[in-house]
Amino acid sequence: EIVLTQSPGTLSLSPGERATLSCRASQSISSSYLAWYRQKPGQAPRLLIYGASSRATGIPDRFSGSGSGTDFTLTISRLEPEDFAVYYCQQYGSSPWTFGQGTKVEIK
Amino acid sequence: QVQLVQSGAEVKKPGASVKVSCKASGYTFTSYDINWVRQGTGQGLEWMGWMNPYTGNTGFAQKFQGRVTMTRDTSTSTVYMELSSLRSEDTAVYYCARGKEYDTLIAHYLPPAGMDVWGQGTTVTVSS
C-alpha cells in the first residue's frame, strides 16, 4: 500500500498570501495518478487537481499542481476566503487508493 | 446537472449491517465507476472500494474484504454499498464519488482523472 505523507500539518496564512502544500509518497506513483481535494467543514471533498497537474473542471487558475514520482506540490497563488479548509492528496495509480492525512490551511 | 444523491443517516447496533444508496443523475450511469470513501469524526479520508455499474465488477480495499458488498440497479441509476458486522469504529460519514470513465463500446477504461463528483455523505452511527 502506498502511504502518502502531507506537510505541513497546519499552514497559517493571511488572505492574498501564497500557500505551498507538500505530498510525499512511500513509493513512486505510476503515471502521476495523483489528485488534490479541498474539503470545507461539513462538506464533501472537491476535486481540484488530477494527474498531478491538471485542473478539474471549474477550478480557478490560482490552483496549480506539480511533481512526479514520489514528490508532489499543490500551490495556491493567492488565498481567497473559501480556500481556508483542509486539503488532501490522493493516489489512484495503485490499489488500494490512498489519501494523505490532510493539511489544514487556517487564517493567521 | 451531474449529481450523486445519497440516502439518509443511519443508526445501527454493533454486529448489524447497513446499506447506503447513491443515486446518479445528469450523466450516463453506466459510463463511470462509483467509489466509496468514508471519514470518521475529525479524521481523514479512507477509500473503501469501487464498482463498475456497466459490468458489475467491484474491487475493495483489503481492510473491508469480506465485510463490504456493492451492488447496482441500472433501472434507477443507483449503487448500493452494504457494510456488515458493524463495530463502533465504523461510525463515519460515508461518501460515494464518481471515478474512472468506462468506454462501453470498447470495454476499456479511459485514463483515470480522480473522483470528480461526490455525494453529500451519509452519516452512519454504530452504537449499542
Side-chain angles (χ1 to χ4, degrees):
Chain A
E1 166 174 327
I2 296 178
V3 176
L4 300 179
T5 302
Q6 293 186 238
S7 61
T10 302
L11 202 49
S12 298
L13 295 168
S14 301
E17 289 196 293
R18 181 185 189 89
T20 303
L21 288 67
S22 174
C23 177
R24 177 162 290 179
S26 60
Q27 55 189 281
S28 184
I29 296 175
S30 62
S31 304
S32 293
Y33 286 153
L34 191 285
W36 290 93
Y37 301 85
R38 178 181 69 186
Q39 186 178 33
K40 300 177 188 178
Q43 294 186 17
R46 181 179 183 182
L47 177 66
L48 302 173
I49 300 288
Y50 65 92
S53 60
S54 298
R55 274 188 299 277
T57 302
I59 300 303
D61 60 8
R62 66 178 184 273
F63 291 94
S64 62
S66 63
S68 64
T70 60
D71 289 293
F72 298 87
T73 300
L74 174 69
T75 301
I76 311 170
S77 59
R78 297 171 308 280
L79 285 165
E80 297 286 339
E82 62 268 28
D83 297 333
F84 292 93
V86 179
Y87 292 80
Y88 294 95
C89 59
Q90 179 232 347
Q91 67 81 20
Y92 51 96
S94 171
S95 185
W97 293 4
T98 49
F99 290 88
Q101 82 280 16
T103 289
K104 181 179 182 180
V105 178
E106 65 176 22
I107 299 176
K108 186 174 181 181
Chain B
Q1 74 279 27
V2 176
Q3 61 177 351
L4 299 173
V5 178
Q6 299 181 223
S7 50
E10 303 265 11
V11 179
K12 296 292 182 181
K13 293 196 182 301
S17 297
V18 67
K19 192 171 187 178
V20 180
S21 68
C22 173
K23 182 175 175 61
S25 62
Y27 71 96
T28 302
F29 173 64
T30 51
S31 291
Y32 292 84
D33 284 0
I34 292 292
N35 293 269
W36 289 89
V37 175
R38 74 178 188 179
Q39 185 171 37
T41 306
Q43 303 299 308
L45 301 167
E46 181 176 34
W47 178 79
M48 300 177 67
W50 61 271
M51 176 174 219
N52 180 318
Y54 183 79
T55 63
N57 290 342
T58 55
F60 309 121
Q62 188 164 9
K63 173 177 181 176
F64 299 101
Q65 293 270 7
R67 269 210 312 146
V68 68
T69 305
M70 294 179 190
T71 56
R72 88 288 197 202
D73 182 343
T74 55
S75 68
T76 60
S77 299
T78 303
V79 173
Y80 300 89
M81 185 282 297
E82 184 170 18
L83 188 63
S84 62
S85 303
L86 290 170
R87 35 211 188 227
S88 59
E89 309 90 88
D90 294 318
T91 294
V93 177
Y94 289 76
Y95 294 102
C96 60
R98 193 174 79 166
K100 295 189 292 184
E101 186 175 0
Y102 185 73
D103 188 326
T104 58
L105 293 179
I106 60 174
H108 197 68
Y109 281 106
L110 276 61
M115 293 182 280
D116 65 340
V117 181
W118 291 65
Q120 82 278 18
T122 297
T123 299
V124 175
T125 303
V126 182
S127 174
S128 55

